[in-house]
Amino acid sequence: MTAAHPERAIARDLGDLILAGCGVGGAAADNFEQLRDFIAQEALDLRLVETFAGSLTLARCAFSPPPRRFHFDPAGELAAVVEALEIEHGERWLVDHVAWPVFRPSEFAMAAGRAHLLGADQVDNPASFFGGRPLLVHRHPLSWLRSGCSGVVVLDERGAGARLAAARGNLLAEDLDHARELHRLMGRAFPTNRIRVPASSIHRGAA
């Protein structure tokens, strides 16, 4: 952390406090075999997860209704937990934690509501759009992890819309419905032709 960005140190301290205070280290140790099986089942590349998503663990969590938040709870359900990082010029700092029930990946939540996107640095990185390639927007964090953390995940619609609208290239939604969701998120002024969808999803929808 640097003196020029004291809020980053605060965010890291907050994250450490959340994890230590709720005993996530112990929970991760207790669930080691489950974590190993989860990683194998989802075919996750831990090297990429560590680089772009920081730590990955399983812990018991309780989830609140929208705006969805979670907290660690020994009586809660088993959930996957990853860090939400900001990455800039090789420096990484913790913004928040994201969790989801292991069997319901679309029901993800943040601990403190401080992050807008997972993979946010890719929005501003020209390499993300090299050769005209669009930036993949995932519906949920598990899909992002499966892809090797390529692309982004919207965590907070209020803050993510403007960030995505300023992307250096086109976006790739998962399907037509997802494309409509993203267009609504970024507003009517955002050109619809900048949101692409996989051809396979169009064919499935027409079948």
Side-chain angles (χ1 to χ4, degrees), residues 1 5-18 84 93-97 114:
M1 305 310 125
H5 299 282
E7 75 283 358
R8 299 180 186 176
I10 291 170
R12 170 61 71 177
D13 291 344
L14 172 66
D16 291 344
L17 180 63
I18 291 172
W93 66 96
L94 178 65
V95 179
D96 210 329
H97 288 87
R114 292 174 177 266

Side-chain angles (χ1 to χ4, degrees), residues 10-79:
I10 291 170
R12 170 61 71 177
D13 291 344
L14 172 66
D16 291 344
L17 180 63
I18 291 172
L19 291 177
C22 299
V24 172
D30 292 341
N31 292 317
F32 176 77
E33 290 188 0
Q34 290 174 300
L35 177 60
R36 180 193 61 194
D37 293 344
F38 175 79
I39 291 168
Q41 178 180 335
E42 301 300 341
L44 303 182
D45 186 328
L46 281 184
R47 293 170 300 175
L48 294 176
V49 171
E50 168 61 27
T51 300
F52 298 106
S55 63
L56 167 66
T57 191
L58 296 182
R60 296 282 171 180
C61 299
F63 294 84
S64 65
R68 287 185 63 80
R69 297 287 182 268
F70 82 93
H71 64 274
F72 299 105
D73 183 344
E77 57 188 315
L78 190 64

Side-chain angles (χ1 to χ4, degrees), residues 41-162:
Q41 178 180 335
E42 301 300 341
L44 303 182
D45 186 328
L46 281 184
R47 293 170 300 175
L48 294 176
V49 171
E50 168 61 27
T51 300
F52 298 106
S55 63
L56 167 66
T57 191
L58 296 182
R60 296 282 171 180
C61 299
F63 294 84
S64 65
R68 287 185 63 80
R69 297 287 182 268
F70 82 93
H71 64 274
F72 299 105
D73 183 344
E77 57 188 315
L78 190 64
V81 185
V82 296
E83 294 178 328
L85 303 176
E86 284 282 355
I87 304 173
E88 183 179 335
H89 304 305
E91 180 186 7
R92 308 190 312 166
W93 66 96
L94 178 65
V95 179
D96 210 329
H97 288 87
V98 181
W100 62 93
V102 290
F103 297 114
R104 301 193 307 279
S106 64
E107 298 180 18
F108 57 89
M110 287 185 283
R114 292 174 177 266
H116 300 317
L117 294 162
L118 285 176
D121 59 294
Q122 298 181 53
V123 176
D124 308 314
N125 189 344
S128 301
F129 308 95
F130 180 76
R133 178 178 57 192
L135 180 69
L136 179 57
V137 183
H138 298 270
R139 272 199 170 100
H140 55 72
L142 181 56
S143 173
W144 182 66
L145 293 178
R146 287 169 177 161
S147 75
C149 305
S150 175
V152 299
V153 183
V154 173
L155 299 175
D156 182 353
E157 293 189 355
R158 294 169 299 177

